[in-house]
Amino acid sequence: QVQLVESGGGLVQPGGSLRLSCATSGSIFGIRDWGWYRQAPGKQRELAATITSGGTTNYADSVKGRFTISRDNAKNTVWLQMNSLKPEDTAVYYCNVKRLPTYRPLEVWGQGTLVTVSS
């Protein structure tokens, strides 16, 4: 069973930076989009950033200009560079893959990595 393995979370001071990584544990075919979602304590999971196979990116308004998503199609890896972090960025960050309609499962989630922004 293919899994997504995230890394890079941790504790950082406000204004600091972190880089999250997500890679597949095995071969996965038919990837259409990669995404990073986040869930803060007591809140629903929300989109942070996505990137299509063609490289088109989309960001939540709250992270635009501070976060950058990138991917390496050959390595099945995606990154989320987070700069100018704020306490409100504190959340569990989840990696997500959406696949083409002929593949199953259509969607795969990582286990999450905790990002804490605090002084």
Side-chain angles (χ1 to χ4, degrees), residues 38-47:
R38 63 185 187 180
Q39 188 167 17
K43 295 188 177 181
Q44 290 188 330
R45 192 173 298 187
E46 64 177 9
L47 178 147

Side-chain angles (χ1 to χ4, degrees), residues 29-33 98-107:
F29 301 100
I31 295 177
R32 188 190 70 196
D33 303 330
K98 289 182 173 54
R99 305 173 75 188
L100 295 170
T102 55
Y103 290 87
R104 294 293 183 274
L106 283 175
E107 192 170 39

Side-chain angles (χ1 to χ4, degrees), residues 45-103:
R45 192 173 298 187
E46 64 177 9
L47 178 147
T50 61
I51 184 167
T52 68
S53 57
T56 301
T57 57
N58 180 51
Y59 297 94
D61 287 342
S62 58
V63 308
K64 278 182 182 176
R66 300 187 297 121
F67 290 10
T68 302
I69 188 171
S70 58
R71 65 184 285 178
D72 184 324
N73 291 334
K75 296 181 178 179
N76 273 348
T77 301
V78 67
W79 298 272
L80 185 68
Q81 178 66 43
M82 305 185 295
N83 298 329
S84 302
L85 283 162
K86 305 175 181 179
E88 51 263 44
D89 294 318
T90 295
V92 177
Y93 284 71
Y94 296 91
C95 181
N96 172 270
V97 160
K98 289 182 173 54
R99 305 173 75 188
L100 295 170
T102 55
Y103 290 87

